[in-house]
Amino acid sequence: MWKQVLYDLFSWGILIYSLSLLASYIFIGVYSIGETRKYLRKSSFTDYNLLASSSYSPSISILAPAYNEGANIIENVRSLLSIHYNQLELIVINDGSKDDSMEKLIKAYDLEAVDYLYNVSIPAREIKAIYKSRNIVYKKLIVIDKVNGGKADALNTGINLASNQYLVCIDVDCILEQDALLKLIKPFIEETDKRVIATGGVVRIANSCIIQNGRLLDVNLPKHFLPRVQTLEYIRAFLLGRMAWSRLNGLLLISGAFGAFDREIVIKSGGYNPKTVGEDMELVVRMRRYMEEHDLPYKVAYIPDPLCWTEAPASYKILGRQRNRWTRGTIETLKIHHILFFNPRYGLLGMLSYPYWFFFEFLAPLIEFIGMVGFIFFAFIGIVNWSFFFALLGFVLTFGWLYSIFAILMEVLTFNQYKKKGEVAKLVLTAMLEPFFFHPFVVWSAVRGNIDLLRNKHSWGEMTKQGFKVQPGAAVEKITTASRLRNGLFQYLPVATGWLLMLVLLRVTDFIYNGTIHQYPGQPAYIFLLSMLNDLAFFVKASILLGLMHMLLSLINKRLAAGVTISISIIITLISVALMQYFSLSFVPLGADLFGYSMNDIKQTVGASGGINIATIVALLTVILGLLAIFKWVSPRLQRPAKWIQLCTAAIAITWIVIGFTSPNKFTIRDEYAGNLSRNKLNYFVAASYDHFFPANIETAGLLAGKTKTFNYVDEAKYPLLHVDSTADVLSPFFNKDTSPPDIVIMMVEGLGRAFTNDNAYLGSFTPFLDSLSRQSLYWENFLSNGGRTFAVLPTLLGSLPFGASGFNEFGEKMPAHLSLMSILKTNGYRTSFYYGGDADFDNMALFLQKQKIDAINDIKSFPADYPKLPEHNGFSWGYGDKELFRHFLSNMDAETDQRPSLQVVLTVATHSPFLVNAQEHYLGEFEQRMNTLKFTDLQKEEHRKYDHQYASILYADDAIKSFINNYRSKPRFKNTIFIITGDHRMPEIPMSTKIDRYHVPLIIYSPLLIRPAAFESISSHSDIAPTLLAYLKNNFNLRAPSTVSWVGMGIDTAHYFRNIHATALKQTKNNLIDFIMGDYHLSDEALFKMMKNMDEEPQTDPAMKASLQAAFSQFKQKNDQVTKGMPIVPDSIYRNYYPR
Amino acid sequence: MPFANEPGVHIYKSNNFSKLFQLFLPGHKIFLLNNITHISTRFLYGAIVFFSFLTVILVSGILITVLRKKIMFDKRSMIVRQLEDWIMEVVLENASDNQSFFLPAAVSLVLKSQLAKRVLLRKLMELKKSLSGVSGDNIQKVYSQLNLQEISLKRLESKYWHVKARGLQELAVMHQDAYHEKVFELTNNKDTMVRMEAQISIVRLKGYSGLQFFDTLSYPLSEWHQLNLLSLLGHLPLSNEDGILSWLKSFNLSVVQFSLKLIGEQHAVEFHDEVINCLGHPEIIVRREAILCLGQMPSQEAATALKAHYLVEPDKNLQMIVIQILRKTGSHLDLPFLHILQNGEDLDIKLVADRSVLYLQKINGNRQIPVTAT
């Protein structure tokens, strides 16, 4: 059940994530429209030139860091100086360029070193000199020559020297529009109720544009695919994304290429962070955080106008570095400001902006990458639902195209930069190609960014541009990921080879050792070869996993990978040695039975077998040192294997893989010792442990929906029900085996329906004790009673008998000869008894039981006089309540001296109309409290109160069972007792939801003998219990039981998942046989229903299926009728052989 | 004992589900969810069809928009080409006050279309903003002669704020005084942009008397708005002293701020005392503007007032502005005061004081002080 929970959590989680992502994109697209439209309309009648000439315009300091910009710096600075703005200073920061940038500037602008007063408000690296021009024309220009410290450090230096109110940070190679500065500054002076702390504008791609003397002369769509697809990406990001966030006032990022900031707030926030590669985003987040923490109203504005043109990477290599850096910058910023995450203190910033970036900017590429890898893996192992996959792929692709087309439409409607013939069409075509040729690369770059960050990489990488060189580079990446992985594989091969050699040595040692101290198997060469194949198969499986792990770790660190792989190999080998030793002592390989022992048991066992002695320690040390020696010897020889070795390795690997996956399980060996000797002990242990913790769903050929098991009838003409008993012993794997046959206590709780017991009970669970008990038990949540009334429970549960005309008991004295669980156990020496609080003559129960040669019927007549009865209703009482019933049982048990194993059947009565129990008021109070515990709404409470007596009686019954079990626990026979708890049928006095509901009961098999609890969703019925119990007892305790039987049921299904392999008839009332289930379908009074996982039903109109069920039902009814009309159930020979004398 | 009255089967749970939710239940006809993949392929195919349909619509939208823009651009360009010669003639003509401009038949024909009129109007607006004198007047005359004010007035009636604002701008730029009441009505419009544009327009039309809305202004004027107003009034001598005096006492701080800017822009020394009084205003925004204003009216009195104010000013930023402004208003007589500040502990104050000292020393004696990087 937990696997299903995990799967549901994962799949629903991914679904919710994906839908949220799509919804957010849609929201952003739509929400941006308003802001863009508003800006365009405002802009249409705004005279920006006012700002240029007014002495009241805000003062601006342009900061332009430069590194190795010698090729273009003169023109770029000239274009910046030509900006017409009244109160402007231009600060160019030469960040330790290695070329002749400074010399060119000094010469071109007639610069001289000056004394300049400034405060170091933000720490930055040393300034070598500050220059100003002798020429008054360039009086606005200040050039700083400083020690290299990176872009952030250069900007911080500029901030320290800046003296104006606003800072405009710009990449020196960016081309600005004529009125870019004016448009960028205007938002700062437009607001009256909040302070604008930063503004940004759209950055456009300048590739293929005509640029002369630092001016954009003609706009062209980039000719090559890569810059063109980035154009589209920028349109989406800037025109849609940032405008929407700006409207929300949740923008986290101003482009580092061109943005304006309030100097005072920048300084108060601490300036740019030189320790991150995403300094632009980090600053904005920090400024916002500052304003939030000081409760100051603020805004970060965005201009959709194309203000700045820059060159985009034209090769995948450079693009990869850029995206890698952007990813690292994003993660670093998110990490630094993690306090914002869903922190209401920070308002929209913490509750929306930050989480959005975290989930949809940071996590999205990782989730996508994991999805891609997962898909490849699932495709490889063949479990992809291809129709769903293609539908989902189509969905994602068409949504992506739609979004891109929408962005293009917005661009055309607004700024329409690409007016030339065919440019828009090319952009549309680019949008179509993007998911295949661009997006996967961006995802991969983001993943690499994550990996690089884990590897503590902080560099920018060399961002070579065509004609531009930007920013300091650290170590240049020359080794690709593919080559790293390949190197990792080559590094792993010698480790794997060394390990294989050790395994071969161990096998040889094991074979010889066991042969010497015990015996060699018959056909020793064959067995030895088989052993080797088993070991190779295990080695291949383990090697693939280990190899993959090694290759991935080698991306982080080679030594780490080698160390981990070698360590794991050593550990695996040591465990193998221990398991081989276990086999040599016990002749059986160690499996999941290990988990049935406590630590003390294990210690005792190990000690008893000789324990950890000197010889063992020496042996283990020999193994470890031997392995290390092999690794050391093999590794250098296989570090750079020759081509022929690589080919051989590949050929051998393929052969091994084929052998490994065509497991030698097909080779059956009759001799158990030889078979166990040839097994790979570790493989056996791992497989058995896996099956223990994750029991395999039983897959039997033909058990699909609609197909069921069928009986192998012996002689239908004479004995309509007689068949070969093929009931599987499904209980043994769950039980510890005791030496003596267990006591069996079968508790049939009157009216105990699944509707009000255990998890997902649709009426709420009113059996808290049974709920907790079921978690320690084998629990079937979709069990069915074969009858809608109590009349059916004894014959079906104890005897798996047909119904006859009006229930089997109604045969009365003419009951046909039959065998049952009770009679067979009696024959096998069991003591049998029946407990009932009412009159056992009711429904001929006593008669039926007497036919089973029962030892004792303890009904109302047997109770001591001082036991209180159930309250009377109109002068009638059912008899004794459940507490008294169990008390009577335990009292008899204490007095019992017979040590034979026992089968004791208990049938309760309190949860029966009129639902009057002793301490009624107390249980009504419990009912109220239970509703509160279940957090019922007022409406639900009101509904439930209509049946308060019923629920109170259920709580009473649960309490009684609790008391019974707890008392039983103190009895000596408890340890060897199996309790079977079920409802005889579902209480009809509380309205039912479906046609099947009346039969829907739980089945709980509780016992201290259980190895572990388990829950099952598969459907079985009361008629399956007797065959299953007998199969278990037969298999484990050599119970004498017939091999041909007349059971109606074919045994309990222990599939964990929902299914029905039975074809079962259900008798609604004594006179109504109208229900039949087969596969997932339920035929009820000629109406067809499909049963769902929670036993909900949906009506179906499937004539073919209906006909199939009707035919099967008819077949059952025919046999039932035959029995009713007198045909024998079992042959005399079997009856006399197994019926108690 | 028999069980009488078999209770019927009740569909207990159906009330709990809405019809919409039932779409997601397995087995439902539409069947959007199944219990394995959570979303059925049918839903995905439906979504694919829907997205594809929308994509086709949007692509059509792109094509139509591109085509439409091109057609409009070509049409406008053609109209401009057809009119530009005539416009240049009008602009350069030395027309008398009541003279009408000759309208060639070709131009008349072109101007029969509303689009051509709107294109012409836009062109005239562009020219009017950059031309003054006779040329500017000629443009105004053409505007009136061709009844282009009808377009502007119609724009005033539009429900779109940006169209209204453009109409206001046109009427104001073209000095359509006759419609000043219509413009004035919109100075109280609920839309901020319309209101702002109406206020600017009325000032453009009426000068200082257009500022009567200051008397009842209940919301702040943005700095951008103030900039627009200043650009219109900056070159007009202050005529309404009473108005200025009342504005300086306004409860609306932005009005006070603007008034100080206006005084500064006009270098209106007659309001010197009032400006100095504003140094004691409780609001920072007013004090700041008063300091800057005194910088526009340099005098020893101003310097004395600023120095005195420095000592009582609680805000450090304003103190720094005072020191900066002393460069304009101060003289060598203020150096001792600045020296004291230079020796203070606050680095920011020291820096500004250093710069001011350097500046004053330069203009008073060209002595340089060594770099003090702190």
Side-chain angles (χ1 to χ4, degrees), chain A residues 22 80 93 120 233 355 398 406 597 633 694 721 747 786 1067:
Chain A
L22 292 181
L80 291 172
I93 309 110
V120 182
E233 195 190 21
T398 48
F406 176 73
Y597 293 100
W633 180 77
F694 312 106
L721 296 172
M747 293 154 64
N786 290 85
K1067 197 162 174 64

Side-chain angles (χ1 to χ4, degrees), chain A residues 1044-1064:
Chain A
T1044 43
V1045 293
S1046 298
W1047 313 132
V1048 165
M1050 50 185 61
I1052 295 174
D1053 185 6
T1054 49
H1056 291 271
Y1057 58 92
F1058 179 77
R1059 73 170 182 180
N1060 176 36
I1061 58 171
H1062 302 102
T1064 308

Side-chain angles (χ1 to χ4, degrees), chain A residues 285-327:
Chain A
V285 174
R286 192 146 29 84
M287 287 172 73
R288 294 192 69 126
R289 198 172 147 183
Y290 172 86
M291 301 300 283
E292 293 284 351
E293 284 167 358
H294 290 82
D295 289 322
L296 299 166
Y298 74 99
K299 185 178 168 156
V300 174
Y302 205 80
I303 316 294
D305 247 314
L307 301 181
C308 170
W309 297 79
T310 188
E311 190 176 325
S315 72
Y316 280 101
K317 191 171 166 185
I318 307 296
L319 177 69
R321 285 189 196 144
Q322 183 196 60
R323 298 309 164 102
N324 184 314
R325 177 171 55 79
W326 287 3
T327 301

Side-chain angles (χ1 to χ4, degrees), chain A residues 201-219:
Chain A
V202 170
V203 176
R204 288 294 181 104
I205 306 290
N207 298 51
S208 304
C209 293
I210 309 295
I211 294 163
Q212 205 172 56
N213 296 328
R215 286 194 187 283
L216 182 74
L217 295 181
D218 193 21
V219 175

Side-chain angles (χ1 to χ4, degrees), chain A residues 588-593 676 679-689:
Chain A
V588 287
L590 181 64
D593 36 322
N676 286 333
R679 286 180 194 277
N680 179 282
K681 311 300 183 293
L682 183 56
N683 187 64
Y684 178 84
F685 176 72
V686 168
S689 302

